[in-house]
Amino acid sequence: MLSIRIAKMNESEILSNIAARSEAYWGYDSIYMEKFRTIYKVTEEFISKNTIFVIEEGNDIIGFYVVLTENDMNSLEYFFIEPQYIGQGYGKLLWNHFG
C-alpha cells in the first residue's frame, strides 16, 4: 500500500542513501557526489529540526522531501526519489502532497 508520512528518526541513513542514489542517477562525477554526500547528509538532528515526508510502498521508502521553515516561510528542499522509481509518478505524488 502506498502512503506518505513523516520520517522517523531512525531513517536518517536510509534517506541519505536515497538522496545520493537519486542525485547520482543524473550522471554526476565522483568528485561532485562526494561533496553532495557531505552537504545533503540526513542526520537524526536534521530530521528532528525539519519536517520530512517520505513516500513508501509497503515497508520500502521510495523517496522524500523536506520542508524548511525560516522566518515563517516554508521552502521545499531535498526532493529525492529512488532511481528505479523515477518517471513512474511518485515524484508527482510527493509534489502534489507538498502543494
Side-chain angles (χ1 to χ4, degrees):
M1 181 170 171
L2 189 67
S3 63
I4 297 175
R5 62 165 175 79
I6 298 285
K8 299 173 187 169
M9 212 57 90
N10 66 348
E11 294 172 330
S12 60
E13 186 174 347
I14 294 167
L15 299 181
S16 289
N17 290 335
I18 290 171
R21 286 190 296 269
S22 180
E23 191 74 2
Y25 173 84
W26 304 104
Y28 294 106
D29 65 30
S30 60
I31 294 170
Y32 172 87
M33 288 307 303
E34 190 174 313
K35 290 178 186 175
F36 178 89
R37 283 185 186 91
T38 301
I39 294 169
Y40 287 90
K41 183 176 183 176
V42 179
T43 62
E44 287 185 6
E45 179 182 3
F46 184 79
I47 292 172
S48 72
K49 291 182 176 182
N50 296 285
T51 304
I52 302 175
F53 291 96
V54 300
I55 186 168
E56 65 181 354
E57 190 150 14
N59 293 325
D60 296 326
I61 297 176
I62 294 168
F64 72 100
Y65 72 90
V66 178
V67 178
L68 296 178
T69 303
E70 292 184 24
N71 302 323
D72 296 325
M73 299 288 294
N74 291 335
S75 65
L76 176 65
E77 301 289 338
Y78 288 69
F79 194 100
F80 298 107
I81 302 291
E82 283 281 16
Q84 68 266 31
Y85 296 102
I86 291 174
Q88 296 182 29
Y90 295 100
K92 183 177 182 179
L93 290 171
L94 277 181
W95 180 258
N96 289 339
H97 183 265
F98 172 71

